[in-house]
Amino acid sequence: MLISREELDDRLAGAARAWLDEALAEAAHAAAHPGADSGSPPWELRYASAGRHCGLEYADSVRALLLVDAHASLPAVTRLYEQGTAAERRAVLLTLHRLDLGATALPLVEDALRTNDTRLVAAAVGPYGAAHLDAHGWRHAVLKCLFTEVPVQAVGRLGERARGDAELARMLGDFAAERSAAGRPVPEDLRTVLDLTAPAPAPAPTEES
């Protein structure tokens, strides 16, 4: 879970807070002066070393702040994703919905969903994926969660997007049948999502005056 700058200041030791201040200042400078640095700007180097300086438990939050303060562009987030470790990729995915990228970063989500890394899959189905995956891609993302045992609570807007989705219900039924035929248990989360695909109840009739 991402935490705020204020929470980080409360939890980080002095040296880590000083490092974060410098890193965020570099990110803000890059946002104010786009294209001023040749090669990778300093904040991108900070992005990679966030865990070492601030602790692995806070690395996602630190990296998210860097991306936001730098107003990271599509080329920047793509570079950080493609060149990064799994942890660095996850932080990109977790932050996409806070950046002004529209649907342009969707290929990064699609790439994460092709992996079997549950950390990346869980991050890919968050708010950004929920907002920009089309119906076909979103349904397969839900099935990917079930297949890789990522809790469906990670799926953004699950109830909203699943409601009344007969095609998703069919796909879930097929998946359950395949698991049963193979002698494998049907995930409880599948039943949860299947219940959500029921159409919304019709509004009760009102008496006319």
Side-chain angles (χ1 to χ4, degrees):
M1 182 179 69
L2 299 180
I3 63 175
S4 67
R5 171 69 188 279
E6 291 74 19
E7 290 173 293
L8 283 169
D9 283 343
D10 288 340
R11 300 183 189 187
L12 295 177
R17 285 199 306 274
W19 183 92
L20 179 59
D21 287 342
E22 294 173 358
L24 294 178
E26 291 172 355
H29 180 271
H33 304 88
D37 295 299
S38 58
S40 296
W43 74 267
E44 291 190 22
L45 302 179
R46 300 270 193 173
Y47 183 92
S49 61
R52 185 166 70 253
H53 290 279
C54 297
L56 296 178
E57 65 271 39
Y58 302 125
D60 281 344
S61 297
V62 170
R63 288 172 176 141
L65 289 173
L66 286 170
L67 290 168
V68 171
D69 282 14
H71 299 174
S73 64
L74 180 63
V77 296
T78 301
R79 180 166 57 249
L80 291 171
Y81 180 88
E82 291 181 345
Q83 297 178 1
T85 63
E88 291 163 29
R89 292 183 173 199
R90 180 182 65 243
V92 167
L93 296 166
L94 291 172
T95 315
L96 289 177
H97 68 290
R98 299 173 60 185
L99 305 174
D100 187 20
L101 298 174
T104 61
L106 197 54
L108 304 184
V109 170
E110 293 168 340
D111 178 82
L113 290 171
R114 286 192 290 269
T115 75
N116 286 321
D117 187 323
T118 56
R119 298 168 299 175
L120 298 185
V121 173
V125 296
Y128 186 85
H132 296 293
L133 283 167
D134 63 18
H136 176 80
W138 185 80
R139 291 178 189 125
H140 281 277
V142 172
L143 287 176
K144 183 76 173 192
C145 287
L146 296 172
F147 180 77
T148 57
E149 300 183 353
V150 169
V152 294
Q153 289 88 339
V155 181
R157 294 167 51 189
L158 176 62
E160 173 190 340
R161 292 203 62 170
R163 186 175 299 116
D165 191 335
E167 177 61 15
L168 177 59
R170 183 196 66 77
M171 293 169 68
L172 292 170
D174 289 347
F175 181 73
E178 291 172 6
R179 297 277 293 198
S180 296
R184 302 180 65 187
V186 175
E188 283 299 320
D189 274 357
L190 186 147
R191 304 180 199 280
T192 299
V193 180
L194 189 58
D195 288 343
L196 293 173
T197 63
T206 58
E207 294 184 5
E208 297 184 1
S209 55

